[in-house]
Amino acid sequence: MNGVRVSIGTKKGAFILTADGKRDRWEISGPHLAGWEIYHIKGSPTHPDRLYASQTSGWFGQVIQRSEDGGKTWEAVGNEFKYDGVPGTHKWYDGTQHPWEFKRVWHLEPSLADPDTVYAGVEDAALFKTVDGGLTWEELPGLRTAKGHLWQPGAGGMCLHTIIIHPQRPERIFVAISAAGAFRTDDGAQTWKPVNRGLKSPFELPDPDAEVGHCVHRIAMHPSRPDVLFMQKHWDVLRTDNAGESWHEVSGDLPSDFGFPIDVHAHEPETIFVVPIKSDSEHFPPDGKLRVYRSRTGGNEWEALTKGLPQRDCYVNVLRDAMAVDSLDPCGVYFGTTGGQVYVSADSGDTWNPIVRDLPAVLSVEVQTLS
């Protein structure tokens, strides 16, 4: 029977959760890299036991860790992230220009074909790449030429947090940056274009025709329909049916259209999941009820999924990289909270159970289906 491995990044280390295909009994390993902020962990699609992790600290800086045995042991690899050439400046919170400064790696996206090739999204926002398993990293500077001087940090910093590689055309890549927007390359990251038409940000960005400046929180794609993407923005849930050329809102009857994660069912490309949060100043579920919302129609019509989730006095948040889906049938859905709970639904969201309740605050959740 197939099994699953769930890799959890937290404020104080990494945890590896494993189960068989029933997903009802779990083994929990960790903390690995204890005491460090682990922003993201992700495994190679072609080499499942190779995991990459972004370890960071305000005192000791950025460390990229690599595991060759599914997270049992780790070794530090290359940690030099230098912007290409003279990086120049970008907008700061007060509208003045501010020099580009590397702070941390937010997201790691291994290649779909080569375990030694990985993309890294960093703060201050830029895209880096390794082709030697993380030993050396090189910036792909074409992204910052897409009006990078106008990019401005969101409340959590100016981070490149989403990287999506087209499953049939690896030269096409989508990225999302808070608070610059979504961008696409069609030539392997040499040149980029903003793909933000249709986004509206009246409070943060008064210009309705601005090409950049939108605070995108997360983008998701189903591999069977790579021209259809779903977005959770600072406000609004949106979709595009033409690879980002235009977006339209599908928030529909959600109790709040503010949130961070968004993901797509493994076998139903019109079924999507979000976790509404009350507001951009109150980062907890509306009414203190933790609810995942599911749309089976690609948006607009939403249903609350509550069975097994706390429906009173719950004031946690679910961060942008803290939701994942597996490829089993029925599809499993996972998410972690800032309160340290990790929940699983082995039936596509109908019912939920906690795998673990008392981890440090969860920053990221990724899942691999293992044969």
Side-chain angles (χ1 to χ4, degrees):
M1 176 183 290
N2 288 338
V4 292
R5 178 195 296 134
V6 182
S7 301
I8 308 294
T10 80
K11 283 279 193 177
K12 294 291 182 180
F15 296 82
I16 306 296
L17 317 177
T18 54
D20 64 17
K22 293 182 180 178
R23 295 158 293 186
D24 56 359
R25 299 181 64 182
W26 292 86
E27 294 185 7
I28 301 170
S29 170
H32 305 278
L33 312 171
W36 290 78
E37 290 188 347
I38 307 300
Y39 262 64
H40 192 228
I41 310 172
K42 193 157 187 178
S44 166
T46 60
H47 187 343
D49 282 341
R50 176 177 289 187
L51 309 181
Y52 294 90
S54 169
Q55 168 185 306
T56 188
S57 161
W59 292 276
F60 302 109
Q62 174 69 45
V63 179
I64 296 295
Q65 297 277 356
R66 190 179 76 195
S67 174
E68 299 290 345
D69 54 13
K72 297 182 179 67
T73 61
W74 296 86
E75 64 171 339
V77 286
N79 296 294
E80 186 175 7
F81 289 84
K82 291 180 63 176
Y83 295 102
D84 182 77
V86 178
T89 61
H90 61 79
K91 287 181 69 174
W92 195 235
Y93 293 98
D94 60 2
T96 62
Q97 288 293 302
H98 188 83
W100 236 276
E101 297 175 316
F102 173 81
K103 298 179 179 65
R104 61 183 63 84
V105 172
W106 277 72
H107 185 91
L108 293 160
E109 192 65 30
S111 161
L112 300 176
D114 175 18
D116 288 332
T117 298
V118 185
Y119 296 91
V122 312
E123 178 190 357
D124 284 336
L127 185 66
F128 283 76
K129 182 180 182 181
T130 179
V131 295
D132 56 15
L135 299 179
T136 59
W137 296 86
E138 181 179 358
E139 190 199 1
L140 303 174
L143 175 60
R144 287 191 294 112
T145 66
K147 300 193 173 184
H149 64 290
L150 296 177
W151 301 355
Q152 190 171 9
M158 196 171 77
C159 53
L160 196 162
H161 52 70
T162 301
I163 304 168
I164 298 176
I165 305 169
H166 192 289
Q168 290 87 43
R169 297 171 53 189
E171 69 277 7
R172 170 171 281 188
I173 303 170
F174 298 88
V175 302
I177 297 170
S178 175
F183 300 83
R184 191 187 80 210
T185 178
D186 294 319
D187 56 14
Q190 296 300 307
T191 61
W192 295 78
K193 62 181 292 186
V195 284
N196 299 301
R197 184 175 299 155
L199 305 189
K200 299 179 176 64
S201 303
F203 301 107
E204 300 86 9
L205 189 65
D207 180 1
D209 299 316
E211 277 196 296
V212 300
H214 296 279
C215 192
V216 178
H217 284 180
R218 188 68 173 163
I219 297 176
M221 170 202 287
H222 192 280
S224 71
R225 295 193 312 175
D227 286 343
V228 179
L229 295 97
F230 298 95
M231 175 189 292
Q232 173 69 67
K233 198 167 65 65
H234 189 94
W235 295 104
D236 303 333
V237 178
L238 304 107
R239 70 177 285 166
T240 176
D241 295 290
N242 52 16
E245 294 296 331
S246 62
W247 296 83
H248 60 276
E249 186 179 354
V250 293
S251 306
D253 53 1
L254 287 170
S256 166
D257 58 6
F258 184 89
F260 290 96
I262 188 166
D263 224 324
V264 187
H265 192 289
H267 313 296
E268 302 171 10
E270 283 290 287
T271 296
I272 52 178
F273 302 90
V274 297
V275 184
I277 297 301
K278 184 177 179 183
S279 74
D280 53 0
S281 60
E282 296 175 277
H283 284 184
F284 52 78
D287 305 317
K289 300 177 180 180
L290 183 56
R291 293 168 288 185
V292 177
Y293 275 74
R294 178 176 64 196
S295 173
R296 294 188 184 276
T297 58
N300 289 321
E301 300 168 344
W302 298 88
E303 58 179 325
L305 308 175
T306 62
K307 190 173 182 180
L309 299 177
Q311 295 305 294
R312 56 177 294 179
D313 304 323
C314 183
Y315 297 97
V316 299
N317 194 6
V318 180
L319 300 180
R320 68 184 88 237
D321 239 339
M323 175 176 274
V325 299
D326 68 35
S327 59
L328 297 179
D329 192 7
C331 171
V333 187
Y334 308 78
F335 71 92
T337 78
T338 54
Q341 302 84 25
V342 178
Y343 290 95
V344 58
S345 171
D347 52 16
S348 304
D350 290 340
T351 60
W352 299 86
N353 290 289
I355 302 175
V356 61
R357 289 187 179 274
D358 298 308
L359 298 184
V362 174
L363 301 176
S364 68
V365 175
E366 293 287 355
V367 62
Q368 296 167 280
T369 303
L370 306 174
S371 57

